[in-house]
Amino acid sequence: MDEEKRLQRRKRLMDNKAYQTMNNLTRYMDRYYLDALIGFIPGWGDAIALFSVVPFVYFSSRVIKSIPLTLAVLNNAFRDVLMGMIPFFVGDVIDFFHRANIQNMAMIQGFVDGDETIIKQVNQRAWQSAIILIVLMLLIALMIWALISFGSYLYSLVASIFSQSGF
């Protein structure tokens, strides 16, 4: 009975419109190398390719309702964008080999199927994402503090110059 419920849930998830969209995106972006080709658009290619992750994030967060899976999908997508941004077309070459959509699809499929290896991988990537997110928030806070401190220093410097010159 439990196996029958799991198979019904799997069928329902696979019939979902977002799932079909993910399959199509995976086919075009990774199997036909559209992700790598879009990456050649200077300055915008990787940003445009990042939009292909939206159905994966929607499916993992709203349909499956799994925070670890969503974090793992985002981790994979941002890693792909970061590697694609390496200059001098090195990132575009990497995009031919690093197929984030195929990896995201495999993680989602394995998660839906209850594959223990995939679930372990998802949880590891989720922890990595959470740690990176905390580090980034700390760096952002540090940057804000540095900018405020620098702005305050510049203000006091300019104010002292004007006060000494008699303005």
Side-chain angles (χ1 to χ4, degrees):
M1 184 68 174
D2 198 32
E3 180 68 20
E4 185 178 318
K5 283 184 181 181
R6 190 183 67 75
L7 290 174
Q8 286 176 347
R9 179 177 183 259
R10 183 177 189 272
K11 171 119 173 72
R12 189 179 75 248
L13 290 174
M14 291 176 75
D15 288 342
N16 187 295
K17 180 85 169 148
Y19 188 88
Q20 300 302 320
T21 302
M22 290 184 316
N23 266 333
N24 290 333
L25 277 170
T26 299
R27 182 175 49 251
Y28 291 114
M29 295 297 281
D30 287 348
R31 291 193 178 107
Y32 298 146
Y33 302 104
L34 189 59
D35 183 26
L37 294 174
I38 288 173
F40 282 110
I41 301 171
W44 288 98
D46 294 306
I48 293 169
L50 185 59
F51 282 110
S52 70
V53 78
V54 171
F56 293 93
V57 171
Y58 172 80
F59 192 79
S60 60
S61 66
R62 297 293 180 202
V63 178
I64 296 179
K65 299 180 180 170
S66 171
I67 291 172
L69 181 60
T70 304
L71 286 172
V73 165
L74 286 170
N75 181 332
N76 210 24
F78 288 140
R79 184 180 300 143
D80 184 55
V81 169
L82 183 64
M83 286 189 289
M85 292 173 71
I86 297 172
F88 307 114
F89 301 108
V90 173
D92 299 315
V93 172
I94 291 172
D95 268 343
F96 274 100
F97 300 105
H98 183 262
R99 299 177 181 173
N101 293 317
I102 288 175
Q103 293 173 5
N104 283 339
M105 198 67 196
M107 282 192 300
I108 288 173
Q109 190 65 50
F111 200 85
V112 167
D113 291 342
D115 184 336
E116 293 296 323
T117 306
I118 298 290
I119 291 172
K120 184 178 177 182
Q121 177 188 7
V122 163
N123 289 331
Q124 287 174 340
R125 288 203 178 168
W127 276 110
Q128 288 173 357
S129 298
I131 291 168
I132 290 169
L133 186 63
I134 290 168
V135 168
L136 288 175
M137 286 190 297
L138 290 173
L139 288 173
I140 289 169
L142 181 64
M143 184 61 78
I144 290 170
W145 173 81
L147 288 172
I148 290 171
S149 297
F150 184 68
S152 176
Y153 170 75
L154 283 179
Y155 176 77
S156 65
L157 183 67
V158 170
S160 70
I161 290 172
F162 280 117
S163 68
Q164 288 176 358
S165 64
F167 282 104

